[in-house]
Amino acid sequence: MFYLSKIFWLLAQPLSLAFLLTAAGLLTALAGARRLGLLFSGLSALVLFLTLYTTAGALLLQALEARVPKPSTDPTLIACMIVLGGAIENDVVASRGGVELNAAADRYTEALRLALSHPQAKILVSGGDGSISGRFPGEAGLAEQFFAAHGVPPKRLIKDNTSRNTWENMLNTKALLAANGLTDCLLITSGFHMPRALALFQKAGITVVPYPVDFRSRGNERLGFDFTQPSLNAQNTATAVREWLGLLGYYLAGRIDWPF
């Protein structure tokens, strides 16, 4: 299932879909089916336009981020935190060393801030190598370097270094929580990812307190044109589409109780 989902996403992400539609249009036109070729080409142009030059991606992200609002105040007492991986550039670290954070860095920086103000709290980092090749270092091991460099001793960390996706995050975390006698932890992940993660944990009977971070939308997005930042629009659209498809896929597989 892991590899199937990876291959599906390689083909279904917006820019790949636009390319496949363009190729289909060219091939069908060459085969003499000009109307069908024009249809495929038109659909490709539409996907590209929506992806690059509209706020559709930000709007889709906003709908996800609105599901679980950001807490207005910090918790007064934290026994443990679950930090879901996805914030470290494993491929870059594999060749350059160090710890390189990506756009989801808030998962770690917010966890660090809370860890420093709640020194009794355990930190369970769940994240391995989610690539198809599986040849990069696990994220949880790298996270230990990040926290240690900022004054959090390794003994406070519980590491799941094998999870490749959100489903495995939940399975491995459940086992580690039981083994360490931990309950009612904060669940820290990106705002757009929180609905799927929270639904998985709830379905598995794991009680957590959601603490979404790494918000990508402004909160007051409206559908419209945006010709100023096509690369960012494409990134937002890809992130949003992937997460919405993930919700639908997990629901159809019976892993969560509600998709939308």
Side-chain angles (χ1 to χ4, degrees):
M1 184 63 74
F2 169 76
Y3 293 106
L4 183 62
S5 67
K6 289 290 184 180
I7 294 171
F8 172 77
W9 177 240
L10 286 176
L11 301 174
Q13 55 188 300
L15 294 183
S16 294
L17 181 60
F19 171 78
L20 292 173
L21 287 169
T22 300
L26 178 60
L27 291 174
T28 51
L30 290 174
R34 291 190 175 184
R35 289 187 177 181
L36 188 57
L38 286 173
L39 175 62
F40 283 134
S41 298
L43 289 174
S44 174
L46 178 61
V47 170
L48 280 175
F49 186 81
L50 290 173
T51 299
L52 297 173
Y53 302 118
T54 74
T55 60
L59 195 65
L60 288 170
L61 284 176
Q62 181 175 271
L64 291 167
E65 292 172 345
R67 296 282 293 273
V68 185
K70 185 177 182 178
S72 57
T73 60
D74 287 345
T76 56
L77 182 63
I78 302 175
C80 55
M81 292 177 275
I82 302 166
V83 183
L84 300 188
I88 293 179
E89 295 289 355
N90 287 358
D91 52 345
V92 175
V93 173
S95 59
R96 293 183 177 273
V99 178
E100 295 291 335
L101 301 178
N102 58 30
D106 282 5
R107 299 188 189 190
Y108 285 110
T109 57
E110 276 294 286
L112 173 63
R113 184 182 67 81
L114 293 171
L116 293 176
S117 60
H118 296 81
Q120 79 289 344
K122 292 286 188 179
I123 308 165
L124 193 160
V125 180
S126 178
D129 176 14
S131 68
I132 293 179
S133 66
R135 60 186 179 88
F136 301 119
E139 185 168 326
L142 298 170
E144 181 177 332
Q145 297 180 36
F146 170 82
F147 284 105
H150 294 85
V152 178
K155 65 181 181 180
R156 291 183 60 187
L157 266 66
I158 302 169
K159 294 176 292 182
D160 159 29
N161 211 37
T162 61
S163 294
R164 299 171 298 175
N165 54 29
T166 310
W167 170 250
E168 293 180 2
N169 285 147
M170 181 277 294
L171 292 176
N172 293 339
T173 295
K174 184 175 184 179
L176 287 171
L177 290 176
N180 289 273
L182 298 173
T183 59
D184 301 315
C185 299
L186 285 189
L187 177 60
I188 300 176
T189 190
S190 300
F192 65 84
H193 183 241
M194 182 61 78
R196 182 157 57 110
L198 184 59
L200 272 175
F201 277 73
Q202 289 177 338
K203 176 80 171 181
I206 306 170
T207 303
V208 293
V209 179
Y211 194 90
V213 298
D214 176 34
F215 287 81
R216 308 285 177 93
S217 70
R218 295 174 299 182
N220 59 353
E221 304 284 355
R222 295 180 181 275
L223 185 61
F225 303 123
D226 181 6
F227 299 100
T228 64
Q229 46 188 3
S231 59
L232 179 59
N233 292 336
Q235 182 179 358
N236 285 341
T237 303
T239 300
V241 170
R242 182 176 185 177
E243 197 57 37
W244 280 106
L245 287 176
L247 276 167
L248 179 60
Y250 275 25
Y251 174 71
L252 294 176
R255 293 178 173 180
I256 61 176
D257 287 330
W258 39 270
F260 302 124

